[in-house]
Amino acid sequence: MEVSYVLVTGATGFIGAHVVDELLRRGLKVRGATRSMLKGKAMLEARPNFASKLDFVQIEDFEKMGVFDEAVKGVDAVIHVASPFTYNTTNNEKELIIPAINGVRSILQAAAKTPSVKRIALTSSFAAVLDVNRKAPPYFTYTAKDWNPLTYEEAISPITNAVVAYRGSKKFAELAAWSFIEDEKPSFDIVTLCPPMTFGPVVHPMPKVEDLNESNAMLWSIAKGEKLPVARVPFWIDVRDLAMVHVEALVRKEVGNRRFVPASPERFSYSMAAEIMRNEFEWARERVRVEEEQKADDSHGLDGEEVTRELGVRYRSFRETVVDLVAQAWELSKKTDES
Ligand SMILES: NC(=O)c1ccc[n+]([C@@H]2O[C@H](COP(=O)([O-])OP(=O)(O)OC[C@H]3O[C@@H](n4cnc5c(N)ncnc54)[C@H](OP(=O)(O)O)[C@@H]3O)[C@@H](O)[C@H]2O)c1
């Protein structure tokens, strides 16, 4: 599919910035949407070679219908990455669920008014796939056909914790996109991507290590010597591989209106991460805790191979991902300590 200018929402976030870089690497023009022009400016300053290929628009509140109307003008595809990803909430419906759904609706509505847009790739999540009540044995494998059975009422209930509410935000935002396609029959198609835990080095503006995004912060907490977190799922993907998946999903015409579950075939646990850190970094030998080993749950699987077959993306090893992130975060933490 002929794509030359792409709007990326969430362009100054962890995954979005890698998507921006992957598009630029392939010679495409990129418009990044961000809530903070300061972050947009920092992204531009860090990429002087792409000054003519990269621009930013500020979308302060992406929930309002109409906010993307100007931003989509002139682009021929969109990668919608932006969505709230935090477990630090006081009102899950207001902070997670409604913004996620309205963000999707507002970008799709803007694109539907813009005939140049041919495709929208959407960052959903394995959270929209996972069924916490589905237990092995017998062994089963999640695929892109599976949906989280969580109801809207359960997701917004005041007794629901932020982790479960986040899963609802991803499910109902993705469903809003599929309903839009069915009801409005716009001239573009969509591809949705449902990655599990995403880890790896950071390329978006991150002044201090405390600003690490939610998933990488779990790995960094181990490097700091904290108690091992509990892995809710044994599946993961490197952010650089995921960025490639987004771009392949945009340019391959034949995958229109498909849903994918990109994921490494290698399972992970946080004790594997701790062991990698102790083996690879001198400073981590004393610092990283040796606790009872957490075994990666191998009672069920997730079919990330379809992505390799159909989008041509292969997966990095967990070791490479952990080493690249932790080395970067360690250097940054030393700078913060010195200042
Ligand atoms: N990291 C993971 O493990 C993982 C796994 C599966 C799926 N995902 C999905 O990947 C996407 C990006 O997450 P991330 O890991 O890159 O986290 P992140 O760094 O926190 O990025 C979230 C992005 O969404 C934007 N955003 C959040 N709330 C917004 C709002 N109310 N209005 C406008 N923009 C908003 C942020 O914009 P600003 O930059 O302007 O602040 C940021 O760019 C999300 O859709 C998330 O659900 C993440």
Side-chain angles (χ1 to χ4, degrees):
M1 184 143 82
E2 210 35 60
V3 177
S4 60
Y5 195 7
V6 182
L7 172 69
V8 179
T9 71
T12 50
F14 168 52
I15 295 173
H18 278 277
V19 169
V20 168
D21 281 352
E22 186 59 30
L23 290 164
L24 293 172
R25 234 189 315 275
R26 292 179 189 217
L28 300 174
K29 265 183 84 180
V30 180
R31 175 174 294 156
T34 179
R35 286 181 291 186
S36 147
M37 262 331 220
L38 269 182
K39 284 199 218 163
K41 202 164 153 260
M43 288 261 305
L44 278 168
E45 280 166 7
R47 290 159 181 77
N49 296 345
F50 293 105
S52 63
K53 293 271 192 183
L54 179 60
D55 64 281
F56 277 87
V57 285
Q58 186 169 20
I59 308 286
E60 271 171 30
D61 181 1
F62 78 169
E63 285 194 52
K64 285 197 202 119
M65 296 303 135
V67 285
F68 286 112
D69 288 4
E70 282 303 309
V72 290
K73 284 197 179 137
V75 304
D76 32 34
V78 177
I79 302 186
H80 181 55
V81 185
S83 203
F85 184 17
T86 173
Y87 299 140
N88 185 10
T89 57
T90 46
N91 182 328
N92 291 329
E93 187 179 23
K94 237 170 104 187
E95 293 163 56
L96 293 174
I97 299 169
I98 293 177
I101 296 171
N102 285 352
V104 164
R105 287 200 180 127
S106 92
I107 194 79
L108 293 183
Q109 280 184 15
K113 289 186 259 176
T114 315
S116 60
V117 176
K118 294 180 223 134
R119 173 160 300 166
I120 299 188
L122 197 100
T123 319
S124 183
S125 170
F126 180 63
V129 174
L130 170 79
D131 176 355
V132 285
N133 295 320
R134 193 171 169 189
K135 299 272 185 246
Y139 186 90
F140 63 92
T141 303
Y142 283 109
T143 71
K145 293 195 177 69
D146 293 308
W147 279 89
N148 184 340
L150 191 74
T151 65
Y152 193 83
E153 288 63 36
E154 284 164 342
I156 62 164
S157 162
I159 57 163
T160 296
N161 67 34
V163 173
V164 176
Y166 168 75
R167 291 180 187 144
S169 80
K170 298 307 287 181
K171 171 184 177 176
F172 294 107
E174 191 191 339
L175 273 180
W178 288 116
S179 308
F180 189 93
I181 295 297
E182 208 173 301
D183 301 342
E184 307 292 326
K185 307 200 169 33
S187 54
F188 57 83
D189 57 22
I190 63 171
V191 180
T192 66
L193 305 167
C194 303
M197 291 299 283
T198 305
F199 302 117
V202 165
V203 294
H204 65 284
M206 191 178 67
K208 39 186 204 324
V209 78
E210 291 74 23
D211 299 332
L212 267 176
N213 63 292
E214 199 70 48
S215 50
N216 274 335
M218 306 276 250
L219 289 182
W220 181 239
S221 71
I222 302 170
K224 283 194 299 187
E226 290 174 14
K227 192 173 173 339
L228 292 190
V230 177
R232 296 186 187 96
V233 293
F235 310 120
W236 71 284
I237 185 170
D238 183 283
V239 66
R240 295 159 289 189
D241 299 338
L242 182 57
M244 281 181 69
V245 171
H246 279 77
V247 178
E248 291 298 334
L250 205 68
V251 298
R252 295 188 186 226
K253 193 169 186 343
E254 67 280 8
V255 299
N257 291 332
R258 293 276 307 273
R259 186 177 196 235
F260 289 100
V261 283
S264 162
E266 189 189 356
R267 288 180 178 74
F268 89 99
S269 71
Y270 289 112
S271 49
M272 282 167 67
E275 198 189 322
I276 293 169
M277 291 176 209
R278 279 195 301 268
N279 285 336
E280 299 283 343
F281 301 103
E282 186 77 52
W283 55 262
R285 276 172 212 146
E286 292 291 303
R287 221 166 121 113
V288 170
R289 291 198 198 192
V290 186
E291 289 179 4
E292 201 181 313
E293 194 190 337
Q294 291 176 351
K295 270 188 63 69
D297 184 351
D298 59 3
S299 68
H300 60 290
L302 172 59
D303 176 23
E305 316 256 314
E306 189 179 33
V307 161
T308 303
R309 275 195 316 273
E310 299 206 27
L311 299 176
V313 178
R314 298 187 177 281
Y315 301 103
R316 280 173 173 77
S317 69
F318 189 56
R319 175 172 299 274
E320 182 181 346
T321 304
V322 170
V323 167
D324 289 353
L325 168 72
V326 172
Q328 182 191 23
W330 174 248
E331 286 306 316
L332 187 64
S333 72
K334 280 199 302 191
K335 272 193 211 140
T336 321
D337 290 346
E338 282 158 16
S339 61

